[in-house]
Every structure is written in structure tokens, then in C-alpha cells.
Amino acid sequence: GDLDVNVPVQSKDEYGKVIHTFNDMTLRLREAEDARRRLVADVAHELRTPLSIMQLKLENAQQTGQYVPPEMMLRLHDEVIRLSLIVEDLHVLSLAEAGRLVLDCKPLDLSAKLEQIVEDVKMEAEENGLEIRFYSNTRPVTVMADARRITQVFINLLTNAIRYTPEGGSISVVIEDGVMDGNAAFTCASVIDTGIGIPAEELAHLFDRFYRVEKARSRHSGGTGLGLAIAHHFVRAHGGFIRVVSEPDQGTAFTVYLPAAK
Ligand code: ADP
């Protein structure tokens, strides 16, 4: 049920402190309850569309009394894959949001890893008429990281760069060691594209789950709206953070900051 208990605090004595703690707990419970409710609503909303598309297609096939044509089978299969991806992404995201993501951190040569990832997505980029390049000022660049999670972060960023950059554009992956932010040293890796960019007023929500700058456009391009939320939480779990700089119609740069290895 709803948590709308609030006990007025009148004194600063022990009794007052207990009440204060109680009110604080109530507030936090209410926030958790709100977050849970939002998640359920988001998931329901996201699963509804692919499910109703599948339902419609199957019912159509049934009504015409015909066998399901191969191309329709393919499209149905695509929808099932999409649903599975969303469910899988939601699972890791919920672990990460709850701080229960278990990392397997080992020394990792980020430079070699990124070079390999760039190699892996090269074909997809070129099929989309994009040039992709990798730059590193030094190597090896060792960070303490969970290779599988970090790979996912850069795959997500690169998939977006490919998705949101029109034909003829380019993508650069740049790695830089020993970047200072305040008193801390970081290893930075950026994914820079010459794509459609992101309006300034949208940047604040970019890492929220299911957030899309333009719903129709993203749905069409096949994303789940979870890629950046996952990247954000994975990098945070490593003690790092992501910064983004963007200019509509010029391009976008995402920079991943990972704590420099001691
Ligand atoms: P999606 O699966 O929709 O790509 P993401 O969480 O990965 O979800 O990204 C959220 C939204 O941020 C995208 O829908 C898109 O509008 C915007 N976005 C992400 N990366 C880029 C980029 N490189 N260029 C322009 N827009 C981007």
C-alpha cells in the first residue's frame, strides 16, 4: 500500500531522533516503492509493442487460413529476439542498479581490447558507409577491469555511434592515459562520431533506462533504450564515469573514465 506516514518532530531529544530516523526510513521506502513501480510500468510499456505486433501477425495468418509465409516467420523471429534482448538487458541492469553486479576485475590492456572491438565492428560500420579508426597514444594501457563488462560498454557506445551516424560519416575511438580529474588519475577512452548529435536539453536524461531522444526514430533503428543505462552502471561499478559532449548535426563524443591502475 501507500506509505504516507509522517510523524511530526517537536523535540531534539532522544525521542525526537527516533522519530527523525523513522521519517527518514519511510521516505527511503517510498522512494524504493516509486522506483519499483516505475520499472514495472516501463517494462510493461516496452514489452507491449513487440508483443502486440507478434499477436497481430499470428492472428492475421490464422484468419487467412494460410501457412505463415517465410518472410513473416523471419519478422516474428526478429521480434522474439528483440524481446529476449530487452529481458536480458533488464536483468543485468536490475543487478547493476541494486549494486549487486559482481565484477571479475583483472589487469586488462584497454588499448589491445579496444583495437580488437573496433576490428569486430568494422564490417558493420563499413556496411553502413562509415569509416572507423582507432588511436592510442601509448600502449599497453593497463586498467583493472572486468573484460566482459567493459567490452559490453564499448559495444553499446559503438553500436549507437553506428546507428546514429548517417552514411559517409566517421567514428573514432581514442584512448588516452593519465588524464587528471581533480586529484585522481584516469584512463580515458572516447567514442567520437560525426552523427546526428543530441540536443543539449536531452543530455541530462540520456543515461536513464528506456530514454530515447526521439522515440519513433530509435524504435525504427532497433535499439532497446537500455544501452546507455547499462554502460553507465557498468562503468560506475568500476569506480569510473562517462561524460558526453554533443552538437546536433555535428556529432557526439562519449568518454569513459576508468580509474588508472596503481
Ligand atoms: P537505444 O537502444 O535507443 O540506442 P541507448 O540507451 O543506447 O538506447 O541510447 C539512448 C538514446 O540516446 C538513443 O535512443 C538516441 O536517441 C541517443 N543516442 C545514443 N547514442 C547516440 C549517438 N552516438 N548519437 C546520437 N544520439 C545518440
Side-chain angles (χ1 to χ4, degrees):
D2 282 341
L3 284 158
D4 44 17
V5 199
N6 200 45
V7 183
V9 185
Q10 271 125 6
S11 63
K12 285 239 184 290
D13 59 9
E14 286 301 306
Y15 184 62
K17 272 189 214 156
V18 171
I19 291 175
H20 186 79
T21 307
F22 176 77
N23 284 341
D24 197 50
M25 276 166 57
T26 310
L27 178 70
R28 265 186 276 170
L29 270 173
R30 192 184 294 149
E31 280 170 1
E33 173 77 5
D34 283 351
R36 194 191 57 80
R37 211 174 285 166
R38 264 197 315 276
L39 176 61
V40 172
D42 283 353
V43 171
H45 177 82
E46 289 301 316
L47 298 189
R48 194 173 292 134
T49 307
L51 278 173
S52 62
I53 291 173
M54 291 199 296
Q55 185 183 348
L56 218 88
K57 284 178 183 163
L58 285 168
E59 281 171 2
N60 257 340
Q62 218 172 27
Q63 274 157 18
T64 54
Q66 300 291 317
Y67 73 102
V68 182
E71 65 271 21
M72 190 191 282
M73 286 294 277
L74 273 178
R75 267 184 291 163
L76 282 171
H77 187 248
D78 282 350
E79 288 297 332
V80 173
I81 298 280
R82 220 181 97 75
L83 280 173
S84 311
L85 282 179
I86 294 177
V87 171
E88 187 49 44
D89 279 358
L90 271 170
H91 177 66
V92 280
L93 190 58
S94 69
L95 283 179
E97 281 182 359
R100 289 197 293 123
L101 193 75
V102 181
L103 293 183
D104 179 20
C105 285
K106 295 194 178 101
L108 171 76
D109 180 358
L110 191 63
S111 184
K113 187 83 216 164
L114 282 176
E115 192 166 26
Q116 179 212 324
I117 296 172
V118 166
E119 216 36 61
D120 290 345
V121 300
K122 194 163 220 143
M123 198 142 90
E124 200 194 331
E126 282 168 0
E127 276 168 11
N128 285 277
L130 302 171
E131 205 183 356
I132 183 163
R133 268 171 274 136
F134 172 72
Y135 302 91
S136 174
N137 60 350
T138 44
R139 62 178 55 194
V141 178
T142 308
V143 289
M144 286 300 288
D146 183 322
R148 193 163 60 103
R149 306 299 190 192
I150 287 300
T151 300
Q152 168 106 57
V153 168
F154 287 99
I155 290 286
N156 290 2
L157 294 179
L158 281 164
T159 308
N160 281 342
I162 293 171
R163 205 177 266 156
Y164 302 112
T165 305
E167 218 181 309
S170 68
I171 298 166
S172 310
V173 176
V174 182
I175 184 164
E176 214 182 328
D177 206 8
V179 176
M180 296 304 292
D181 187 74
N183 292 325
F186 291 89
T187 297
C188 290
S190 304
V191 175
I192 305 159
D193 65 53
T194 61
I196 59 175
I198 301 158
E201 66 272 18
E202 311 259 11
L203 289 176
H205 306 284
L206 210 56
F207 295 94
D208 296 353
R209 77 169 100 84
F210 295 128
Y211 188 80
R212 295 180 182 113
V213 171
E214 225 179 86
K215 286 179 194 272
R217 178 189 72 202
S218 303
R219 174 57 57 75
H220 186 70
S221 60
T224 62
L226 295 172
L228 287 179
I230 287 173
H232 167 78
H233 281 286
F234 281 10
V235 171
R236 259 180 55 144
H238 281 82
F241 53 91
I242 303 182
R243 282 195 185 138
V244 53
V245 180
S246 190
E247 186 69 44
D249 298 323
Q250 299 297 309
T252 305
F254 283 93
T255 302
V256 175
Y257 287 71
L258 291 171
K262 302 257 145 61

